[in-house]
Amino acid sequence: MINRVVLVGRLTKDPELKYTPNGIAVATFTLAVNRQFSNPQGEREADFLNIVVWRKAAENVANFLKKGSLAGVDGRIQVRTYEQDGRRQYFTEIVADTVQFLEPKGSSGSGGGNGGGRSNDFYGAPPREPQGSSYGGGNQNQRQNSNQGFTRVDDDPFAGSGQIDISDDDLPF
Amino acid sequence: MINRVVLVGRLTKDPELKYTPNGIAVATFTLAVNRQFSNPQGEREADFLNIVVWRKAAENVANFLKKGSLAGVDGRIQVRTYEQDGRRQYFTEIVADTVQFLEPKGSSGSGGGNGGGRSNDFYGAPPREPQGSSYGGGNQNQRQNSNQGFTRVDDDPFAGSGQIDISDDDLPF
Amino acid sequence: MINRVVLVGRLTKDPELKYTPNGIAVATFTLAVNRQFSNPQGEREADFLNIVVWRKAAENVANFLKKGSLAGVDGRIQVRTYEQDGRRQYFTEIVADTVQFLEPKGSSGSGGGNGGGRSNDFYGAPPREPQGSSYGGGNQNQRQNSNQGFTRVDDDPFAGSGQIDISDDDLPF
Amino acid sequence: MINRVVLVGRLTKDPELKYTPNGIAVATFTLAVNRQFSNPQGEREADFLNIVVWRKAAENVANFLKKGSLAGVDGRIQVRTYEQDGRRQYFTEIVADTVQFLEPKGSSGSGGGNGGGRSNDFYGAPPREPQGSSYGGGNQNQRQNSNQGFTRVDDDPFAGSGQIDISDDDLPF
DNA sequence: TTTT
DNA sequence: TTTT
């Protein structure tokens, strides 16, 4: 059924890149999307939305976006459910089909030096592609390539660490 | 900033209509939106999304939609935050600008008999209209017009009851 | 770049199904989308939008939708340009990723008897899939299976007939 | 009925600001939206889409956007029809509810010097507001304020000139 | 007629 | 050229 979301906002932190046990890249980040109107106190609030993106687009996100970057997201809303202290919890996220980098002029100033400059799109999560092992587990993320290597992701790409060993079949793609 | 959501799905229950202390109508319902692909177990899962709609559209929703109705929603995602047992909780909802009734042929079978038949739209939450007292608190909802009268809504239209007395200024419009 | 369109409306005629020389299915139809407000003469106008959908979804569209069907479309806008009498002409169409059949209750009454009943989605135009010869040219359209066989489509799926022999490379996918 | 479009692209020229006989501002521009994939010749094509925006947002567009600006648009597709040499012609445009200025860092380099810097939204075309004469005809456009004054718009905001005298009632709002 |  |  139709489930379409389009957002433009700024990353609240650097994106996190992880890999599934099968070597599929997944990036997560939070997008701050300013509200249309200020609240009665005159403050312009924002909604903080959790974004997930898979495969090649995940690696592009990790390479080209960072805290503060302006980005567009085209995807779908999804609610994940989990138990915590015996209570059912809900986690709402946007699964991005496309992430667009929106920093037009050799911006990004300080920091990582992603070069960049052109407005650019990353297309992720192609619907139901063969889930081959084409992602061999090699970490192509340029920014997190120091000591820690990459992180494995299991069922929850937003989780801090994932030790439980599950297969790709449990992943939502 | 751009924040746009379009959904088509079915109501999991009859919508709930409430009124703010100032007499502004607000309806809430949950929309079940089937996922594109079935999970590895071959089941077609759904996402259950919380929808809010204000003013005249809220009353139309209450009058014309019910459990099982197919509906389209055009709106924006919003995250509300609240404390519970000292823990910060997040509640994600879609604030609908438009709700479209999608039951083309004199459907709705049993129950309320809303007659209907035509595909119909309800436009809600016009951005920043004067928040006059045009909604005098009279309950125009035909389906919930029995004994219980209408319910007051305070800061959380999804809450079961709201006793705290807040003004319209605390409402997100 | 972000280019997203979501529509709900009714088919003004039965969809047309054609096949490229390489056997790829493409369906076209016009969707009447009623405007939000009536014009000063009190009439509720509609916009008539050209929709294209490829591959399996095209065949589903041809099999399950017909004149008057309520349908949802999720896709992108595209402008094609062509010459006519030495004048440059523009043709705007929506390339659908998904077409959703929105006739909830064993509707469609008279006519083709598509059975159906459930709300259903067709996913078309997967971005950049290998354009294999999986569509062998066999016409699986149940409604147009009489004498005329299928129609070849060349560069313009909306054109009445296409005699010029061009390859898949000229097609927009 | 649901009719929603979200675009991100660049202006091909400076926007044009006009005023209706009743003094309502309307801006038009063309947005170049790059396609997702390059064509078989390896070129990245674009779609050129006509955007219209009304009232205050129109004036903001005229003041803050110019040729080459990156902008987001949230609106609806509309088809206008007209006669030319006895032939019916169609003109497809996007009526913007919101235009978002997407040049994050004091960009816009040469030229008008709009200062700016912050990502900014303009909300136009509020649905069915009272069509009063609140726009008194004063031209607030800073960039086109030289000799030519403002231009009147009649039925077609994209037309070069409009001599026919029509009332606001013929305008699509 | 097109933008970076 | 248009749908309910």
Side-chain angles (χ1 to χ4, degrees), chain A:
Chain A
M1 278 171 157
I2 288 172
N3 179 337
R4 181 55 57 182
V5 180
V6 185
L7 304 168
V8 172
R10 290 185 183 280
L11 299 231
T12 62
K13 294 200 295 193
D14 287 359
E16 283 195 43
L17 181 67
K18 301 178 182 181
Y19 286 83
T20 71
N22 282 1
I24 296 176
V26 53
T28 54
F29 56 91
T30 298
L31 201 68
V33 181
N34 293 131
R35 293 221 181 138
Q36 206 166 139
F37 303 112
S38 37
N39 65 18
Q41 288 77 250
E43 305 149 350
R44 192 93 176 296
E45 290 176 281
D47 291 290
F48 296 93
L49 303 168
N50 309 301
I51 317 291
V52 207
V53 55
W54 293 91
R55 303 172 191 278
K56 190 63 191 145
E59 298 180 325
N60 287 329
V61 157
N63 286 332
F64 296 113
L65 295 179
K66 58 180 208 286
K67 181 177 175 171
S69 298
L70 189 68
V73 164
D74 182 12
R76 63 190 314 283
I77 321 179
Q78 199 156 92
V79 181
R80 287 217 313 273
T81 164
Y82 61 96
E83 298 283 330
Q84 190 184 261
D85 313 329
R87 289 184 13 89
R88 181 177 286 275
Q89 300 286 130
Y90 299 95
F91 185 80
T92 303
E93 68 201 354
I94 314 300
V95 184
D97 295 322
T98 303
V99 178
Q100 185 181 8
F101 179 30
L102 295 169
E103 305 277 346
K105 318 216 167 181
S107 54
S108 91
S110 64
N114 64 38
R118 313 240 122 235
S119 174
N120 213 337
D121 305 314
F122 315 132
Y123 302 93
R128 299 276 107 182
E129 265 195 354
Q131 311 164 17
S133 45
S134 45
Y135 291 86
N139 182 356
Q140 302 170 237
N141 175 18
Q142 296 172 186
R143 205 166 55 230
Q144 273 152 263
N145 60 359
S146 37
N147 52 336
Q148 81 279 27
F150 60 79
T151 316
R152 285 210 164 182
V153 62
D154 294 296
D155 60 339
D156 181 358
F158 281 93
S161 68
Q163 250 51 274
I164 318 133
D165 193 60
I166 63 161
S167 80
D168 255 31
D169 289 336
D170 299 303
L171 289 166
F173 55 82

